[in-house]
């Protein structure tokens, strides 16, 4: 475990549109009475002091009901992203909830296939700066490019029209960052960043090479071998995989 206090931050305002369920993906059920939230909370709670979840306005009430016990006990808190301005907006809009902690573990709210082994290895590997679990993918949707010195020089995103290279490194929806100076760096980045070519958003992922390349933040890569860990719950096939993964890790 790191010496710094650790808070998990879960941006979960997105809805499962492609799943046709009309609810936030973090609330999708993957087993009888078990939602993506239950899986993520189980994975994270041995390692973090607190979990903060960012919801949409319409998702806040149902999620508070789902996590009522953990919220009442003070181990979980919730805030609302009023406008869908992207993951960066969700994470840094919630900064008052995590700034008191030395480290944040950002986890996408649909990563139901995240293994407890990966969480353990990331938390143990993190020192200062940025720690990324990365996995080679035959056809990555997002690709991370590092140079020979270990500097993260670029993140390619298919959703913004970038061409990702076969076999390139992709993330598994987990990002571990030191919080010292982090909010200030994001504010500075907002003044410099180009909007996404297709989304028109200031994306969170290109902020990471900015920290590494321009701000000299150290980057620690944690290798992941199973490409299925990179799957969020976006489609019916993803949901079926999440159900199988839950059964495997629940044994």
């Amino acid at each position: 475990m790191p010496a710094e206090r650790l808070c998990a931050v879960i941006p979960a305002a997105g809805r499962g549109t492609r799943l046709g369920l009309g609810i936030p993906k973090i609330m999708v059920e993957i087993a009888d009475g078990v939602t993506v939230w239950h899986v993520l909370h189980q994975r994270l709670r041995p390692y973090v002091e607190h979990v903060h979840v960012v919801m949409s306005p319409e998702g806040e009430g149902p999620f508070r009901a789902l996590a009522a016990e953990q919220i009442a006990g003070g181990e979980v808190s919730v805030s609302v992203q009023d406008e869908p301005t992207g993951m960066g907006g969700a994470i840094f809009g919630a900064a008052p909830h995590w700034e008191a902690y030395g480290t944040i573990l950002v986890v996408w709210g649909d990563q139901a296939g995240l293994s407890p082994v990966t969480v353990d290895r990331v938390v143990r590997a993190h020192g200062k700066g940025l720690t990324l679990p990365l996995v080679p993918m035959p056809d990555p949707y997002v690709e991370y490019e590092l140079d020979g010195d270990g500097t993260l020089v670029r993140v390619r995103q298919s959703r913004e029209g970038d061409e990702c290279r076969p076999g390139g490194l992709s993330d598994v929806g987990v990002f571990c960052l030191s919080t010292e100076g982090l909010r200030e760096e994001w504010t500075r980045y907002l003044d410099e960043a180009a909007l996404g070519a297709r989304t028109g958003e200031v994306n969170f992922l290109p902020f990471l090479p900015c920290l590494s390349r321009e701000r000299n933040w150290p980057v620690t890569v944690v290798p992941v071998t199973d490409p299925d860990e990179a799957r969020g719950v976006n489609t019916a096939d993803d949901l079926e995989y999440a159900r199988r993964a839950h059964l495997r890790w629940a044994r």
Side-chain angles (χ1 to χ4, degrees):
M1 294 286 288
E4 299 280 8
R5 299 171 64 205
L6 201 154
C7 177
V9 181
I10 306 179
R15 301 180 66 178
T17 305
R18 282 186 281 173
L19 290 169
L21 299 177
I23 59 175
K25 290 189 285 185
I26 198 170
M27 298 181 66
V28 170
E29 195 169 274
I30 62 171
D32 188 21
V34 178
T35 66
V36 175
W37 158 248
H38 292 117
V39 171
L40 289 178
H41 184 242
Q42 182 185 53
R43 298 285 186 270
L44 297 170
R45 65 183 179 184
Y47 303 100
V48 304
E49 185 173 330
H50 190 77
V51 179
H52 182 77
V53 182
V54 184
M55 297 298 301
S56 63
E58 62 272 18
E60 180 192 13
F63 180 77
R64 284 187 178 276
L66 179 67
E69 183 178 346
Q70 293 89 359
I71 294 170
E75 63 185 277
V76 174
S77 57
V78 184
S79 63
V80 174
Q81 185 182 24
D82 292 318
E83 299 291 335
T85 56
M87 293 297 192
I91 295 163
F92 288 95
H97 297 274
W98 52 254
E99 281 187 307
Y101 298 86
T103 303
I104 55 172
L105 191 68
V106 176
V107 182
W108 296 159
D110 64 347
Q111 295 300 132
L114 177 64
S115 82
V117 174
T118 295
V119 178
D120 180 78
R121 293 179 63 212
V122 169
V123 170
R124 291 181 184 278
H126 184 72
K128 292 289 185 182
L130 170 64
T131 300
L132 293 172
L134 298 177
V135 59
M137 299 284 288
D139 185 22
Y141 185 67
V142 176
E143 184 199 354
Y144 292 71
E145 181 182 344
L146 296 98
D147 66 16
D149 296 323
T151 299
L152 179 61
V153 296
R154 183 179 178 185
V155 177
R156 296 180 174 88
Q157 300 181 90
S158 297
R159 69 194 291 259
E160 297 293 7
D162 298 334
E163 185 174 345
C164 297
R165 300 169 298 180
L169 294 172
S170 188
D171 65 69
V172 298
V174 177
F175 316 85
C176 194
L177 302 98
S178 300
T179 61
E180 184 177 358
L182 182 61
R183 190 178 189 182
E184 292 77 11
E185 292 292 3
W186 174 256
T187 300
R188 186 188 307 183
Y189 177 71
L190 289 178
D191 293 333
E192 304 169 353
L195 298 178
R198 290 182 177 173
T199 65
E201 297 174 354
V202 178
N203 291 312
F204 172 70
L205 296 185
F207 174 56
L208 304 180
C210 175
L211 288 176
S212 175
R213 186 184 61 242
E214 300 173 22
R215 313 301 187 216
N216 297 315
W217 277 43
V219 176
T220 302
V221 173
V222 174
V224 176
T225 57
D226 184 358
D228 277 337
E229 276 201 65
R231 295 175 69 166
V233 180
N234 295 300
T235 66
D237 285 345
D238 294 334
L239 181 54
E240 181 57 33
Y241 166 74
R243 288 170 173 158
R244 294 196 306 268
H246 170 69
L247 290 175
R248 183 171 69 250
W249 291 115
R251 289 172 186 167

